[in-house]
Amino acid sequence: MEARRLILPGDIVGRADVTKVLRELESVNDFMLQADLRHVAVRLPAISRQLNSLAEANQYDLSDKRQRLQLITFLNKIRSLAPQIHLSLASEPSETATAKIIDWLRRELSSYTMLEIGIQPSMVAGCRIRTTNKLFDFSLHRQLASAEPALRQKIGEL
Amino acid sequence: MENVPIFLIIILALALVAIGVLLWLLFGAQGLLNKPKLHDLSIADLEKKKAEFQAELREQGLMDLEKAVSENAAFIQKDVRRTATELNGYMHQELQRALDEEFSEYHRAADQINQLVAESLKKVRGSIDEQHRQLSQQMLAELAAEKQRLIEQFQDNMAEVVGFYVKAAIGDSLTIDDQLDYILAQLENNKQAIAEDLKNGG
């Protein structure tokens, strides 16, 4: 990474968010470069909440060409190199819940952990985490399946 | 009168008859002897006598015929009546006998038909009972198989069934926010394994 360790804000959750912010930042950069080439003084265009968070978290000024390029490089590395976790849930999580999960992942595992969230209603409750090589199933469905012999025994007793 | 023997009455009657015959011979035969001789009569008289005699004969014949006819008519009528009565009885008897035979035959045929129908009904009832028994056995077997299949299907998918039931029971009341502590706890419990896999995979 860079000499200065950049911060990835919590509202940039997965690679899709990174790609979207990267495209936006490149667009902003192109706009600013063109204005610079024409020697026209322009204001920074309106940017998304995620890009603004990224800039603020790292105290970067997007009007500065060098800092923009640093962020573009950072986002490109994140997109290609950051570890990714796929989290399956039974229903759509709220932004608060997503923020808490991503905060834990980036605090406990890696600062640049990418999180992809999928919805699987059959899980009923709990979660299922898939990393590069492993699957951690903490769903209620798996727990019910593991408790199936006890359930069969109980039904047999009836 | 009642004390007089009947043979005296008969003798008295015969005596009266004999006296009558003698009187007739004395006076009646005298007249016949006094009749003129045929060869003394003329042709016309002969013709006349002939006509009278023929008329007398004809009248006598008619009277005899009528008498005979009337006497025979009574007999014939009596015979006819008796014959009719006998014929009627005979016909009645014959008809009764024929009817009895026909009824007997009819009853015999009816009995045979009843017997055949009873046997046929018995066979049909037996067949129906057998089919009913087989159908019952088949249905019981299919019911048991279906029950076993449902049980096995339930056992094979018990987790999904219970999960579906739990999901239907709690609905949307169990949000991710409610589960967040559990999810974070599970992540914490498996942090080491997840971190190692991320490190090796990265």
Side-chain angles (χ1 to χ4, degrees), chain B residues 34-48:
Chain B
N34 291 333
K35 284 183 179 179
K37 305 291 186 188
L38 285 177
H39 53 81
D40 294 335
L41 297 176
S42 63
I43 297 300
D45 291 334
L46 286 175
E47 289 293 334
K48 186 179 176 183

Side-chain angles (χ1 to χ4, degrees), chain B residues 135-149:
Chain B
L135 190 61
S136 297
Q137 288 181 346
Q138 185 179 355
M139 287 184 68
L140 286 175
E142 289 181 0
L143 191 63
E146 179 66 15
K147 184 180 176 183
Q148 185 62 29
R149 189 185 68 77

Side-chain angles (χ1 to χ4, degrees), chain B residues 167-182:
Chain B
K167 186 172 181 359
I170 62 177
D172 296 330
S173 59
L174 188 62
T175 64
I176 299 300
D177 290 333
D178 299 328
Q179 306 168 42
L180 194 56
D181 291 340
Y182 170 78

Side-chain angles (χ1 to χ4, degrees), chain B residues 15-25:
Chain B
L16 289 174
V17 171
I19 293 169
V21 170
L22 287 174
L23 288 175
W24 180 78
L25 287 174

Side-chain angles (χ1 to χ4, degrees), chain B residues 119-137:
Chain B
E119 290 177 358
S120 179
L121 283 176
K122 187 178 179 182
K123 288 180 181 176
V124 169
R125 187 171 298 159
S127 176
I128 289 174
D129 289 343
E130 179 65 20
Q131 287 184 357
H132 184 264
R133 188 183 61 78
Q134 290 180 355
L135 190 61
S136 297
Q137 288 181 346

Side-chain angles (χ1 to χ4, degrees), chain B residues 57-142:
Chain B
L57 284 178
R58 189 180 300 116
E59 187 178 354
Q60 187 66 35
L62 282 173
M63 289 176 63
D64 292 342
L65 180 61
E66 286 177 356
K67 183 179 179 183
V69 167
S70 65
E71 290 176 352
N72 288 327
F75 287 117
I76 289 170
Q77 189 176 11
K78 188 177 179 182
D79 287 343
V80 166
R81 285 179 180 170
R82 190 182 64 207
T83 304
T85 303
E86 290 178 354
L87 186 60
N88 191 22
Y90 175 76
M91 289 296 292
H92 185 268
Q93 187 179 359
E94 287 297 313
L95 282 173
Q96 188 64 40
R97 188 181 59 79
L99 283 174
D100 289 342
E101 288 179 358
E102 288 297 324
F103 275 119
S104 176
E105 185 68 21
Y106 167 75
H107 284 303
R108 193 179 59 78
D111 290 341
Q112 287 181 349
I113 289 172
N114 283 335
Q115 188 175 357
L116 288 174
V117 169
E119 290 177 358
S120 179
L121 283 176
K122 187 178 179 182
K123 288 180 181 176
V124 169
R125 187 171 298 159
S127 176
I128 289 174
D129 289 343
E130 179 65 20
Q131 287 184 357
H132 184 264
R133 188 183 61 78
Q134 290 180 355
L135 190 61
S136 297
Q137 288 181 346
Q138 185 179 355
M139 287 184 68
L140 286 175
E142 289 181 0

